[in-house]
Amino acid sequence: PSGQPSLSELGLPNQFVAVRANGYDEGYCSNLKEFVIGTPEAQIYDTEFECCTEEFADQKSGTCISNLDGDRQPSGQPSLGNASGLGLPNQFVAVFTNGFEGGYCSNLKEFVIGTPEAQIYETEFECCTENFADQTTHTCISNLDEDRQPSGQPSLSELGLPNQFVAVRANGYDEGYCSNL
């Protein structure tokens, strides 16, 4: 083997396995017969992307992900959510492509499909709070649409207007919060 990832069209369709010939940090996924044959079925993935995210999720070098075709490269940016019509409705999953501090939630099919149901959340906010609550960069929360940003200041919803919240920046942007009063 050359130590280089396969060109997926030359290998077996929908059968990708992890190749660690040069160690974890130089590992990649391949669908060449020489790697796939003899691999237990539980370690064979339908897509190269799924193989990389399952087998090399913590890979600091990014070798596996960087070998994906350009149109299958994760952007490192959160999905555009339901507003753009590109994502799946009410199905958000945590994406750790950029590590924990750079993690975010997405509803793009490429991330959602194949994710166990227990790891799929109905809202992007719920996904962020469940998976990235201790994130010091606040990357996930900051990617929420402006009207879904947590305020840090609870409003008294039972005293305010129902389902009508506005941003209050009386003490500046950093201390801003949302209120329905």
Side-chain angles (χ1 to χ4, degrees):
S2 67
Q4 295 301 313
S6 65
L7 299 172
S8 58
E9 63 273 3
L10 300 177
L12 299 171
N14 304 323
Q15 296 185 41
F16 290 87
V17 297
V19 178
R20 295 181 179 89
N22 297 322
Y24 181 81
D25 256 3
E26 298 301 314
Y28 58 91
C29 292
S30 174
N31 64 345
L32 290 180
K33 277 197 296 190
E34 64 194 80
F35 298 120
V36 176
I37 293 177
T39 301
E41 190 173 329
Q43 296 173 10
I44 299 175
Y45 299 92
D46 288 338
T47 67
E48 190 174 9
F49 179 80
E50 181 185 16
C51 177
C52 284
T53 56
E54 290 293 321
E55 296 289 331
F56 299 102
D58 298 325
Q59 190 179 53
K60 297 198 185 326
S61 66
T63 300
C64 191
I65 290 291
S66 68
N67 287 323
L68 294 173
D69 294 339
D71 61 342
R72 292 183 295 141
Q73 285 276 343
S75 66
Q77 298 301 314
S79 66
L80 300 174
N82 293 333
S84 69
L86 297 177
L88 297 172
N90 304 321
Q91 296 185 48
F92 289 88
V93 297
V95 179
F96 295 92
T97 303
N98 300 325
F100 178 77
E101 289 298 331
Y104 58 91
C105 291
S106 174
N107 64 346
L108 289 180
K109 279 197 295 189
E110 65 194 67
F111 298 120
V112 176
I113 293 175
T115 300
E117 191 173 330
Q119 296 173 12
I120 299 175
Y121 300 89
E122 285 191 30
T123 67
E124 190 173 9
F125 178 78
E126 180 186 16
C127 177
C128 284
T129 56
E130 289 293 320
N131 292 283
F132 301 105
D134 296 328
Q135 197 177 48
T136 58
T137 58
H138 307 293
T139 302
C140 191
I141 290 293
S142 68
N143 287 319
L144 293 173
D145 294 339
E146 201 170 302
D147 61 339
R148 292 183 293 144
Q149 286 281 338
S151 66
Q153 299 289 329
S155 62
L156 301 172
S157 58
E158 62 275 358
L159 300 176
L161 298 170
N163 301 320
Q164 296 184 31
F165 289 83
V166 296
V168 177
R169 296 185 180 104
N171 296 322
Y173 181 81
D174 284 342
E175 293 182 31
Y177 61 94
C178 295
S179 175
N180 65 344
L181 296 179

